[in-house]
Amino acid sequence: MSARSSLLAVVLGLMVGAPAAAEAHAPPGTPIYLNRSYSFEERAADLVSRMTLAEKASQMLSSQAPAIPRLGIPAYGWWNEALHGVSRLQTAPSGNATTLFSTTSYPIDLSLGASWDPDLMYR
């Protein structure tokens, strides 16, 4: 996945939980990225176009993206990948991985190989 695709995925994820002020019938002058009457693609393009290069880069560092107050974007955690399950807490202030609770390891090569059980891998 390219850096641009990664940033777009993060932006789209933010917009799903957009602030309550972002109504489908937003008042005149509301930025497109806060107006739910536009498509996700239009909203993402508008938001990314308003971000400085430094703000875009800051959203892709480590696992803890800082807030962008001028655009109403809160700080959020985004690191996750299915090898370690999808139950990772996202907002560790240190930016380090947090404690895992009730995670699922999916049947991928790393998990299967760790079982040391060829019959289980086959099944």
Side-chain angles (χ1 to χ4, degrees), residues 8-116:
L8 185 58
V10 169
V11 169
L12 290 174
L14 281 174
M15 288 193 282
V16 169
E23 297 301 324
H25 302 288
T30 299
I32 291 172
Y33 76 95
L34 291 177
N35 188 333
R36 291 185 179 170
S37 66
Y38 288 90
S39 70
F40 285 126
E41 293 81 9
E42 292 169 312
R43 294 171 64 199
D46 181 61
L47 178 57
V48 171
S49 75
R50 294 168 186 272
M51 296 168 72
T52 66
L53 182 59
E55 288 169 338
K56 291 172 189 173
S58 76
Q59 299 300 292
M60 298 168 55
L61 295 175
S62 186
S63 63
Q64 184 74 26
I68 304 176
R70 71 181 189 86
L71 295 174
I73 298 174
Y76 63 97
W78 58 268
W79 186 89
N80 210 329
E81 45 84 12
L83 289 176
H84 294 102
V86 189
S87 183
R88 184 176 292 277
L89 298 174
Q90 297 295 310
T91 55
S94 66
N96 294 326
T98 58
T99 303
L100 299 174
F101 297 99
S102 302
T103 60
T104 300
S105 290
Y106 296 100
I108 48 89
D109 55 350
L110 186 62
S111 298
L112 293 172
S115 74
W116 296 100

